Amino acid sequence: MLKICIAPLDWGLGHAGRMIPIIKELDKQNHDVFIAGAEEVIRFLKYEFPNLTYIPIPAYKPKYGSRLPLELEMAKQSHHFLKIIKEETEIANALTEKWKFDFIISDNRYGFRSTKCKNIFITHQLQILMPGYLKFLENFLNRLNHSYINKFDECWIPDFEKTENLSGKLSHNIELDIPQFYIGPLSRFSDTKNNQLQATGSKEILAICSGPEPGRSKFKNILLKQLSQLEEPNVLIGGDLNAVKQSKKYGNCTYYPFLSPTELIIFFKNANIIISRSGYTTVMDLFFLQKKAIFIPTKGQTEQEYLATKFRKENICPSYDLHKFNVRNALAESSNFKGFEEYSNIQPCVRGSLKKHIELRLTSK
């Protein structure tokens, strides 16, 4: 039995959500799993894994939604991020000394690694994209990105390696200095036990809010105003772990501040179509669920904008700017798109691949 510490980034809850299948597989293989994360990450994962050992570590706490373009807002916060990266390396070393970890698996926490154990970095973003007016910075930022990743022992990429893949140029045709492995998409919905959970029979429109504040609340308020006026029954999940867990009715929209991962699965299964940001964790969830979707990428978050454009061009799902979004028009247009069922031919390729990969890579120090 190995001692393995999982450390997901607190950039919304997507990074924590995609660690669920890895945590489950490690548990099945009788490893001793620890979770190191920010308060919100710990609260989220405790719904699914109440009996694990949880270790609070500093949060990155990115903030969106100011008057500045997002890329400039992130630049303004870069000093804070670099400070956390430096601090978390010292924390990881101290925790490894205390708990005797054999492995650390860090999902996009660039500094959470230790000289006292083997370190694995998980990311889908080997290629950072910049908007046109900052394109001249792209090479520099990617060299910096790779320099941090190369301090780990291995990089695991949650996608397929071949041409038919989900992340496109974000994680392909890039060579690191350390071994890199494509482990297949990761989703809380990939578990066979979850796949056996039955939907209620009702078919609804489901909207999901995600991401850091204050952008998440702004997104929620715009969606709630439009969804409450629809004739069709719909559900909006606010993604607010700090709110009282009580549903409210707004016209035909039922609003839930948040749901546990198990509860969320039922709502996903009930949905005819899902309205959400175009983050990569959501993309992987939709891949496993084979659902139709409508994407509203976070303005200025180039990764989301790239993925939304990619899947629109591939006729998988439409995408819209939030401030031009009209839910009735979007629902009408979505009927012209194929949805993520288009990937049903490659979905069987991922079954069992995570189990085999973990058995192969985590056999010893």
Side-chain angles (χ1 to χ4, degrees):
M1 180 177 73
L2 298 171
K3 287 188 173 183
I4 300 170
C5 181
I6 307 285
L9 181 65
D10 59 299
W11 209 290
L13 293 173
H15 294 275
R18 71 189 192 184
M19 287 297 96
I20 288 175
I22 287 184
I23 296 167
K24 286 184 175 180
E25 186 55 46
L26 292 172
D27 186 58
K28 284 179 187 175
Q29 296 186 22
N30 296 315
H31 296 305
D32 194 3
V33 179
F34 298 73
I35 307 293
E39 181 183 352
E40 192 174 52
V41 166
I42 288 175
R43 195 181 307 133
F44 174 74
L45 288 174
K46 272 189 175 179
Y47 280 105
E48 191 77 14
F49 309 104
N51 298 319
L52 296 182
T53 301
Y54 288 89
I55 306 167
I57 59 175
Y60 277 70
K61 284 187 179 176
K63 294 179 181 178
Y64 295 177
S66 75
R67 293 179 180 273
L68 287 174
L70 181 59
E71 54 274 8
L72 297 183
E73 182 62 50
M74 292 299 101
K76 192 173 81 169
Q77 298 174 55
S78 62
H79 176 74
H80 167 70
F81 298 150
L82 292 171
K83 178 173 176 285
I84 295 296
I85 289 171
K86 183 179 179 181
E87 285 179 1
E88 66 184 359
T89 302
E90 297 170 1
I91 292 168
N93 274 319
L95 290 175
T96 304
E97 180 71 27
K98 176 181 178 180
W99 294 100
K100 308 302 180 188
F101 297 142
D102 297 296
F103 288 87
I104 285 175
I105 301 177
S106 171
D107 187 328
N108 275 81
R109 293 199 67 128
Y110 284 89
F112 200 82
R113 54 185 169 76
S114 172
T115 56
K116 304 173 189 301
C117 69
K118 189 167 183 179
N119 303 277
I120 295 163
F121 192 76
I122 293 184
T123 188
H124 65 277
Q125 204 164 5
L126 297 180
Q127 171 83 342
I128 295 174
L129 305 177
M130 296 299 290
Y133 77 102
L134 292 175
K135 209 73 177 173
F136 69 97
L137 290 175
E138 198 167 271
N139 286 338
F140 166 74
L141 289 173
N142 278 301
R143 285 197 300 271
L144 183 64
N145 181 36
H146 299 160
S147 72
Y148 278 115
I149 298 173
N150 285 328
K151 291 177 181 178
F152 288 75
D153 296 295
E154 293 181 4
C155 180
W156 293 3
I157 304 159
D159 198 2
F160 300 106
E161 183 174 6
K162 297 183 179 178
T163 306
E164 196 166 10
N165 59 67
L166 301 178
S167 61
K169 66 182 180 181
L170 294 176
S171 60
H172 292 81
N173 302 316
I174 304 291
E175 291 294 329
L176 299 171
D177 294 338
I178 59 173
Q180 59 195 76
F181 302 94
Y182 290 87
I183 64 173
L186 297 173
S187 170
R188 71 194 97 176
F189 303 127
S190 62
D191 186 81
T192 54
K193 181 181 176 183
N194 288 339
N195 290 337
Q196 291 166 4
L197 291 173
Q198 295 300 310
T200 62
S202 62
K203 292 296 179 184
E204 299 166 328
I205 299 160
L206 174 64
I208 307 285
C209 298
S210 59
E213 292 288 10
R216 184 197 58 79
S217 290
K218 187 176 181 181
F219 184 42
K220 179 201 77 175
N221 292 335
I222 290 174
L223 285 181
L224 184 58
K225 182 177 179 180
Q226 295 197 33
L227 291 170
S228 64
Q229 297 171 8
L230 280 182
E231 294 78 17
E232 302 94 327
N234 61 85
V235 172
L236 173 62
I237 300 170
D240 183 4
L241 286 175
N242 297 313
V244 176
K245 190 180 177 184
Q246 184 175 353
S247 64
K248 293 182 181 179
K249 195 80 172 174
Y250 299 88
N252 277 329
C253 178
T254 305
Y255 173 72
Y256 295 87
F258 68 95
L259 293 171
S260 72
T262 303
E263 291 169 324
L264 190 59
I265 290 164
I266 299 298
F267 280 87
F268 265 95
K269 284 180 172 288
N270 284 340
N272 272 330
I273 192 163
I274 294 160
I275 302 170
S276 70
R277 296 297 197 187
S278 49
Y280 188 61
T281 297
T282 301
V283 167
M284 293 190 289
D285 289 343
L286 291 166
F287 166 79
F288 278 98
L289 291 165
Q290 296 186 25
K291 291 287 184 178
K292 285 203 159 196
I294 294 168
F295 281 152
I296 306 171
T298 302
K299 186 174 179 61
Q301 192 166 335
T302 51
E303 167 214 0
Q304 289 194 17
E305 291 173 335
Y306 166 75
L307 290 170
T309 300
K310 174 184 184 293
F311 290 113
R312 176 179 268 278
K313 285 180 177 178
E314 293 174 2
N315 202 35
I316 300 299
C317 62
S319 56
Y320 305 90
D321 182 279
L322 178 60
H323 297 289
K324 297 176 182 177
F325 180 66
N326 180 293
V327 68
R328 287 191 174 92
N329 293 344
L331 289 168
E333 187 183 9
S334 68
S335 62
N336 299 321
F337 289 78
K338 299 174 184 177
F340 280 82
E341 288 184 6
E342 182 70 8
Y343 289 99
S344 60
N345 61 316
I346 63 170
Q347 194 188 75
C349 300
V350 79
R351 290 174 190 158
S353 64
L354 180 62
K355 176 179 182 293
K356 292 174 184 175
H357 183 79
I358 287 176
E359 287 174 343
L360 178 66
R361 303 307 309 169
L362 303 186
T363 52
S364 67
K365 294 185 183 183

